[in-house]
Amino acid sequence: MTSQSARIEIAREIHDGIAQDLVALGYRLDAVLAAPGTPASFRNEVRTIRFTVSDLIEKVRAEIFNLRNGGDFPQVIQALIAEIDFNIQVRGLDTNLTEEHSELLLRVIPELMRNAVNHSGATQICLGMDEIDNRLMVTISDNGKGGATLSAGHYGIQGCIERVERVGGSIDIQSGKDGTTITIAL
């Protein structure tokens, strides 16, 4: 099996398995919410869980898309930007990437961009890629309130750092009241 056909097979298995199970779970939660005897305090908790399940479904769908389109980095990033539906400026996506770097960045960039959208209060995000001194430099910056740090119980940024360091790269995070800039060097 080629790597592309292997990715498509994995995407199919995820779609037909985990994704369908999550959708079914969502429908069951909807049924509990719609039941006439469900107490209001219980409804609030179930609604919170339902939103979490909906977010998981979207993440699984994004992973399926990434697996199916793993060879076309710019297309996957553009689809992510469309999905996020936010003011995002992009430059340099035409940079030549190794398959290893492409797969890494397709894991890390969505996490960092979603963090900026969900937590920074930013009105604009910039994603840039450049080759400098034989190194790939990826920069994600926003004009939000700052605060992008490693925090106990939150593993998004930590997971990104671990992924990047695993391939010999580094991440620099500069975060202050005028926004956050995260630079990945590979």
Side-chain angles (χ1 to χ4, degrees):
M1 216 185 294
T2 68
S3 66
Q4 179 63 21
S5 63
R7 284 195 295 261
I8 289 172
E9 181 62 28
I10 292 168
R12 187 178 306 118
E13 291 299 321
I14 292 171
H15 176 273
D16 295 345
I18 294 170
Q20 298 307 315
D21 292 345
L22 285 171
V23 169
L25 177 60
Y27 289 148
R28 290 180 68 195
L29 290 169
D30 290 341
V32 170
L33 287 169
T38 304
S41 61
F42 188 68
R43 278 182 206 274
N44 291 337
E45 185 65 27
V46 172
R47 191 170 293 115
T48 300
I49 295 168
R50 178 59 168 117
F51 289 140
T52 301
V53 169
S54 293
D55 288 344
L56 287 172
I57 290 168
E58 289 306 312
K59 288 177 183 176
V60 168
R61 285 182 177 150
E63 289 301 322
I64 291 168
F65 181 84
N66 291 347
L67 284 165
R68 287 190 164 273
N69 298 289
D72 190 351
F73 182 82
Q75 179 184 358
V76 174
I77 293 299
Q78 291 297 342
L80 167 70
I81 290 167
E83 170 198 325
I84 291 176
D85 190 27
F86 196 80
N87 183 14
I88 300 174
Q89 307 297 315
V90 180
R91 66 174 170 69
L93 287 187
D94 56 349
T95 304
N96 291 325
L97 297 174
T98 65
E99 186 173 339
E100 178 183 44
H101 288 167
S102 178
E103 289 179 14
L104 167 75
L105 293 174
L106 287 173
R107 301 280 184 213
V108 172
I109 289 173
E111 175 67 25
L112 296 174
M113 287 177 58
R114 284 189 184 105
N115 278 352
V117 168
N118 294 330
H119 305 297
S120 75
T123 58
Q124 182 175 8
I125 299 171
C126 297
L127 167 64
M129 295 177 63
D130 298 291
E131 288 185 52
I132 302 172
D133 297 329
N134 292 325
R135 294 193 69 149
L136 175 65
M137 305 298 282
V138 178
T139 304
I140 300 169
S141 59
D142 67 60
N143 63 352
K145 64 184 176 190
T149 60
L150 296 175
S151 304
H154 299 272
Y155 302 105
I157 292 175
Q158 182 64 43
C160 292
I161 292 169
E162 291 167 355
R163 285 178 188 271
V164 169
E165 289 178 347
R166 193 175 316 133
V167 300
S170 63
I171 291 186
D172 178 61
I173 301 171
Q174 300 293 320
S175 190
K177 63 181 175 153
D178 295 328
T180 298
T181 298
I182 299 176
T183 305
I184 302 167
L186 300 172

